[in-house]
Amino acid sequence: MTESALIFGVESSCDETSCAVVADGRRVLSNVVSSQIDLHARFGGVVPELASRAHIEAINTVIERAMNQANVSPDQIDAVAVTCQPGLIGSLLVGLMAAKTLAWTWGVPLIGVNHVYAHAYSPALDAEPVEYPAAALICSGGHTALYRCDSPRDLELLGSTIDDAAGEVFDKVACILNLGYPGGPVIDRVAGNGDPALLDFPRSLLKGDSLDFSFSGLKTAVLYHVNGQPGGSRKPRRRKTGPHALRQAAQSGAGHGIEHFTEQEIADVAASFQQAVVEVLCVKLRRAAKQIAARTMIVGGGVSANSALRNALQVEADKLGCGLRMPPLSYCVDNAAMIAGLGFHYFQAGKIDAYDLPARATVRR
Ligand code: KG4
Ligand code: ZN
């Protein structure tokens, strides 16, 4: 078994071009991320064709910077790990071709990595190894799922979203509230000034022992609330005079389109929406942790940067007496360090791939 190795990681599954050098699956020597947020912001979401082109333009510079920052030469690299699934197919292909070229040129093994599994590995970067078994909640723009993890490499799907991903709903609700893109960070910030208990937005699939998620009803409820259609928030959660409070809200502009909402009303919707997402994610992760008698709860993916979620999960973990591992903010969003980190464990186990390794938009294994 290889105890020590330098892995070069490549990530390009969505709108971040990233390369990293990681030692022994843990020590991050470099992690360069070139974000395309400005490119996609005016469209309110990622445009796949633009994303692929931007990856092509960025990839060579990002590779060079990752090697320079790590201060290593190609002959020191032991393997190249790359995201091969899931993601936008055109974007994946750019990183995969670059990684194949590097592996062939440097004469080292190529290792394909599942992007979602890498998010579950991200809390182990620059940190102590995770104690298993662990229940991992991965919530990002494209995925929301729960896994049982018995090692960095052994993951079993326990449940996933049946419609929108959590990050996707943050982005869409931010669009409804006219807050810009990407929605997660801005809702996180704006919600800080709002009342999370004011509006009662729906929490789906909480009953029974389901570990699946559904967020599209919540998104629609926010839209209906903003437009004043029936089916929005059911009642103010704390104010006892429900109809009265709703009438008050209507008089002050709420329910007639977002342009009539005051800054405070927008903050209240953002905070109440965020609270609904956070509650669902917490309940499901706690449920999964109990079901598998987990020693650790893991959270990863872009939404794991959310401050309300991080605070709420800490409370859950303390109540359960279970460990909680959350990546630092820099490893919450897409990055190549997590790809290289997990790639090390495949390298150690001798799980390397051939040059015909395909890119897959959806997960097959
Ligand atoms: O993991 P990631 O970078 O890309 C995917 O694999 O999808 O996640 C991006 C998602 C976006 O939907 C973004 O709005 C969300 O993560 N996000 C957040 C926060 N920061 C990023 N959602 C909630 N709160 C945040 N602070
Ligand atoms: Zn991701």
Side-chain angles (χ1 to χ4, degrees), residues 11 13-16 86 115-116 119 138-143 165-172 174 181-189 273-274 277 300-309 329 331-335 338:
E11 155 63 35
S13 64
C14 189
D15 59 343
E16 263 96 25
H115 176 88
V116 182
H119 272 304
I138 307 306
C139 38
S140 67
H143 324 280
E168 187 184 352
V169 203
F170 269 96
D171 294 336
K172 286 176 177 165
Y181 172 86
V186 67
I187 288 192
D188 196 345
R189 184 164 41 78
F273 154 76
Q274 179 175 269
V277 178
V303 180
S304 66
N306 186 270
S307 54
L309 178 64
L329 296 189
Y331 302 140
C332 287
V333 289
D334 290 348
N335 67 88
M338 65 184 190

Side-chain angles (χ1 to χ4, degrees), residues 10-231:
V10 181
E11 155 63 35
S12 69
S13 64
C14 189
D15 59 343
E16 263 96 25
T17 318
S18 178
C19 290
V21 178
V22 176
D24 313 330
R26 250 172 97 178
R27 268 187 313 121
V28 179
L29 305 187
S30 66
N31 183 42
V32 176
V33 181
S34 167
S35 171
Q36 303 175 6
I37 282 180
D38 294 343
L39 180 68
H40 302 290
R42 67 196 161 109
F43 301 105
V46 178
V47 182
E49 179 59 25
L50 293 183
S52 322
R53 287 168 193 234
H55 284 304
I56 292 172
E57 283 163 19
I59 190 77
N60 284 342
T61 314
V62 173
I63 291 170
E64 215 173 295
R65 284 177 51 207
M67 290 297 279
N68 288 343
Q69 281 183 21
N71 200 18
V72 296
S73 55
D75 59 312
Q76 292 172 273
I77 299 292
D78 294 290
V80 176
V82 58
T83 303
C84 60
Q85 62 177 355
L88 301 172
I89 194 69
S91 293
L92 285 168
L93 282 170
V94 177
L96 188 56
M97 283 311 297
K100 286 178 179 177
T101 309
L102 289 176
W104 184 76
T105 314
W106 294 347
V108 296
L110 175 75
I111 297 167
V113 171
N114 178 318
H115 176 88
V116 182
Y117 292 7
H119 272 304
Y121 184 74
S122 60
L125 295 169
D126 289 332
E128 291 304 310
V130 167
E131 290 188 3
Y132 296 99
L137 166 69
I138 307 306
C139 38
S140 67
H143 324 280
T144 297
L146 280 163
Y147 294 88
R148 177 196 170 106
C149 312
D150 287 300
S151 82
R153 291 187 289 118
D154 301 318
L155 281 83
E156 182 197 337
L157 185 66
L158 299 174
S160 61
T161 181
I162 58 169
D163 41 53
D164 293 358
E168 187 184 352
V169 203
F170 269 96
D171 294 336
K172 286 176 177 165
V173 165
C175 189
I176 294 168
L177 299 181
N178 238 346
L179 291 174
Y181 172 86
V186 67
I187 288 192
D188 196 345
R189 184 164 41 78
V190 168
N193 301 320
D195 182 350
L198 184 64
L199 301 161
D200 190 14
F201 289 122
R203 283 99 166 123
S204 298
L205 300 182
L206 281 190
K207 293 204 183 100
D209 56 3
S210 163
L211 293 176
D212 288 327
F213 304 85
S214 168
F215 291 111
S216 69
L218 170 60
K219 174 189 65 187
T220 309
V222 174
L223 182 68
Y224 284 180
H225 174 78
V226 167
N227 290 341
Q229 289 162 272

